[in-house]
């Protein structure tokens, strides 16, 4: 008997990646950072590879090494690297590294010498996001240094890449500006003798809506997990995560009774409330107080009162809800349950945050499909 669980449909992940793969001539890098957007990095990566992804994308060196520890041999790119990391481990284990500064490039060269082999590098250019990526004024120096390091056998420049600001709003003017900036950066690299096999800029939104941005490799994240990067758009993807728990206690309360901390909810009449053992320690946003939708007793209802660390309360009226009944916070929507998008709308965030934060050490992830 289970109490609360996060269910992950690996067949959905595999199918979503197959759908993305079918829509492009580029290779697909499944982005599995952030513990696979909360779906479990290694199982998500395996399912994505089974669906036709040929690359994996993560942020940290540790994430990349965990993929290698799990026996995954596909190319992996790690892109969030502070100074002083043991990058030789990445080089020794065939992890591709992103570089956006001369300093990091020098560290990678040093790591390659320690590892005794060429490091695989993707040079990142800032085309307008103003986050990671070399600013245009430093780009020429970076590619020239990379060309030199490549000629010396210390690195192999595998990619030149960037990231979109606003691909989730098709037609937004930043998209064209970024594509122009990317083309200029590629031309500068070419003049320096850097002509990598992989040019990549497309996230999920661009993968689904902007073929001219696919280049050699696309990097979808949220779409892999079946959620639309563009609110209200239907790309035929299938959400992979469902979150549910069994009712711990159902009881009658009188009219006019305050519920949960601060009594921010008051019963309007005599009613049944159900206590569900999931709270903000498990990833339920506290902002879902009096807002988060829950399927319980054949109806979608709203959380009554504050979300606590470990539990929520749901007013179910006179529905015959009893301890042990299943409350579904969100899922694919097949049985009328809310979706992660419904939760995002209710809480004022994006589906990315809803799924990525979901789960805790005490809530098991249960995998279905994917040969599990
Ligand atoms: C550099 C980079 N590429 C690709 C992605 C995937 O983005 P999305 O989940 O919108 O597809 C991310 C995620 O934020 C990212 O940081």
């Amino acid at each position: 008997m289970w109490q609360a669980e996060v269910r992950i449909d690996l067949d959905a992940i595999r199918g979503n990646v197959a759908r993305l793969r079918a829509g492009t001539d580029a290779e697909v890098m499944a982005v599995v950072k952030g513990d696979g957007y909360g779906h479990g990095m290694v199982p998500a990566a395996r399912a994505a590879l089974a669906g036709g992804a040929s690359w994996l994308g993560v942020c940290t060196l540790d994430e990349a090494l965990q993929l290698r520890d799990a026996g995954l041999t596909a190319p992996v790119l790690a892109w969030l690297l502070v100074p002083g990391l043991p990058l030789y481990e990445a080089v020794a284990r065939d992890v591709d590294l992103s570089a956006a500064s001369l300093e990091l490039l020098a560290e990678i060269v040093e790591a390659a010498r320690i590892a005794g082999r060429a490091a695989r590098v993707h040079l990142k250019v800032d085309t307008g996001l103003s986050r990671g990526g070399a600013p245009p004024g430093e780009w020429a120096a970076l590619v020239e240094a990379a060309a030199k390091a490549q000629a010396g056998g210390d690195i192999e420049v595998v990619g030149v890449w960037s990231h979109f600001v606003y691909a989730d709003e098709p037609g937004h003017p930043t998209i064209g500006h970024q594509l122009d900036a990317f083309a200029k950066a590629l031309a500068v690299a070419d003049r320096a003798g850097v002509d990598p096999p992989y040019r990549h800029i497309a996230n999920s939104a661009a993968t689904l809506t902007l073929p001219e941005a696919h280049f050699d490799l696309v990097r979808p994240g949220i779409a892999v997990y079946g959620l639309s990067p563009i609110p209200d758009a239907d790309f035929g993807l299938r959400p992979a995560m469902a979150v549910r728990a069994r009712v711990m206690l159902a009881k009658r309360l009188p009219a006019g009774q305050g519920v949960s901390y601060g009594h921010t909810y008051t019963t309007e009449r005599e009613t049944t409330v159900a206590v569900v053992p999931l709270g903000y320690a498990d990833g339920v946003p506290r902002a879902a107080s009096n807002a988060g939708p829950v399927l319980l007793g054949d109806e979608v209802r709203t959380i009554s009162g504050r979300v606590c660390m470990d539990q929520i309360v749901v007013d179910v009226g006179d529905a015959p809800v009893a301890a042990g009944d299943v409350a579904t916070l969100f899922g694919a929507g097949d049985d009328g349950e809310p979706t992660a998008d419904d939760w995002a709308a209710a809480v004022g965030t994006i589906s990315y945050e809803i799924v990525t934060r979901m789960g805790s050490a005490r809530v098991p992830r249960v995998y279905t499909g994917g040969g599990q």
Side-chain angles (χ1 to χ4, degrees), residues 31 33 37 59 79 124 131 161-163 202-205 219-223 229 352:
V31 178
K33 64 183 175 136
Y37 287 42
C59 276
W79 60 68
K124 187 170 190 185
R131 208 176 65 177
W161 72 300
S162 194
H163 193 41
N203 56 3
S204 293
R219 300 190 314 270
I222 198 73
Y352 296 64

Side-chain angles (χ1 to χ4, degrees), residues 281-298:
D282 308 303
V284 181
R286 191 166 177 275
S289 301
N290 288 310
V294 178
L295 176 66
L296 178 56
D298 292 333

Side-chain angles (χ1 to χ4, degrees), residues 222-321:
I222 198 73
V224 166
Y225 308 100
L227 298 167
S228 172
I230 301 171
D232 300 326
D234 182 0
F235 295 107
L237 303 165
R238 180 162 177 79
M241 180 185 287
V243 177
R244 54 188 206 157
R246 288 186 188 275
V247 171
M248 177 191 85
L249 179 71
K251 63 184 178 189
R252 295 295 279 176
L253 290 180
Q257 176 62 53
V259 173
S260 192
Y261 291 131
H263 277 182
T264 60
Y265 178 84
T266 304
T267 57
E268 280 179 7
R269 57 188 180 91
E270 187 185 324
T271 190
T272 298
V273 292
V275 183
V276 177
L278 281 170
Y280 60 77
D282 308 303
V284 181
R286 191 166 177 275
S289 301
N290 288 310
V294 178
L295 176 66
L296 178 56
D298 292 333
E299 249 181 60
V300 176
R301 305 166 193 282
T302 302
I303 292 172
S304 308
R306 293 245 168 94
V307 173
C308 309
M309 184 185 289
D310 320 291
Q311 46 198 305
I312 51 178
V313 181
V314 183
D315 184 340
V316 298
D318 293 326
V321 168

